[in-house]
């Protein structure tokens, strides 16, 4: 009886450890998961890119503009967990939505236009939003292809 009680105790400890690890890993859904999803969509080559400007007008991009913008976002935007974005939330913003995959997934990147100081934005994925940084190049490219910015 002692031997089976010890085995049950060991089994219970193992189950508790597994549950704790699963719980901790489920909470690690950060901007990195949205960036990874965006990178996976871009790698397929089959996606749409739409930009919504400050006035709410939405424009779908095609050709080189679409490809360049999606690849730029996928390669430059990084996780900004722990950053205080309260100051930038009032700035004008542009929303870029990249949709692709099977089933279709949409990843949105909102860039807060702070002129030359632009750095931060938000990434939206799986009904959650996370802060991201390194958005200045994205804003520069949006200005280059004709979207109104503070710059």
């Amino acid at each position: 009886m002692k031997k089976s009680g010890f085995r049950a105790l060991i089994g219970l400890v193992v189950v508790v450890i597994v549950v704790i690890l699963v719980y901790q890993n489920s909470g690690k859904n950060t901007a990195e998961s949205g960036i990874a999803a965006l990178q996976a969509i871009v790698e397929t080559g089959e996606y749409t890119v739409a930009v919504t400007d400050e006035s709410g007008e939405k424009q779908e991009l095609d050709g080189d503009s679409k490809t360049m913008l999606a690849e730029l976002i996928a390669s430059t935007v990084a996780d900004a967990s722990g950053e205080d974005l309260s100051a930038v939330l009032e700035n004008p913003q542009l929303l870029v939505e990249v949709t692709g995959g099977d089933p279709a997934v949409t990843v949105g990147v909102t860039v807060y236009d702070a002129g030359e100081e632009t750095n931060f934005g938000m990434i939206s994925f799986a009904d959650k939003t996370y802060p991201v940084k390194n958005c200045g190049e994205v804003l520069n490219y949006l200005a280059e292809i004709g979207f109104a910015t503070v710059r």
Side-chain angles (χ1 to χ4, degrees):
M1 195 74 163
K2 278 186 174 183
K3 200 172 193 179
S4 64
F6 182 69
R7 286 184 182 166
L9 180 61
I10 295 292
L12 179 61
V13 169
V14 168
V15 168
V16 168
I17 290 172
V18 168
V19 167
I20 289 171
L21 289 175
V22 168
Y23 178 75
Q24 286 178 339
N25 287 335
S26 68
K28 294 192 183 207
N29 192 16
T30 64
E32 294 296 328
S33 59
I35 294 166
L38 178 62
Q39 290 167 341
I41 292 169
V42 171
E43 286 176 11
T44 68
E46 298 293 321
Y47 53 87
T48 61
V49 176
V51 179
T52 305
D53 64 16
E54 181 68 18
S55 65
E57 290 186 44
K58 190 173 192 172
Q59 178 182 347
E60 193 164 311
L61 301 180
D62 55 8
D64 291 340
S65 298
K66 171 185 97 166
T67 304
M68 181 63 181
L69 183 57
E71 289 176 357
L72 182 64
I73 292 170
S75 66
T76 61
V77 171
D79 187 354
S81 297
E83 295 282 345
D84 180 18
L85 300 185
S86 59
V88 299
L89 296 177
E90 298 300 317
N91 292 342
Q93 54 190 281
L94 293 151
L95 170 64
V96 180
E97 295 176 305
V98 180
T99 304
D102 187 26
V105 174
T106 298
V107 177
V109 176
T110 302
V111 179
Y112 295 100
D113 188 354
E116 294 299 321
E117 302 298 316
T118 297
N119 185 35
F120 294 106
M122 298 292 252
I123 191 165
S124 303
F125 172 69
D127 296 329
K128 295 201 169 105
T129 304
Y130 306 99
V132 290
K133 60 185 175 183
N134 302 338
C135 296
E137 288 184 53
V138 174
L139 187 66
N140 283 340
Y141 187 72
L142 288 167
E144 188 177 307
I145 61 174
F147 288 93
T149 66
V150 172
R151 294 178 178 208

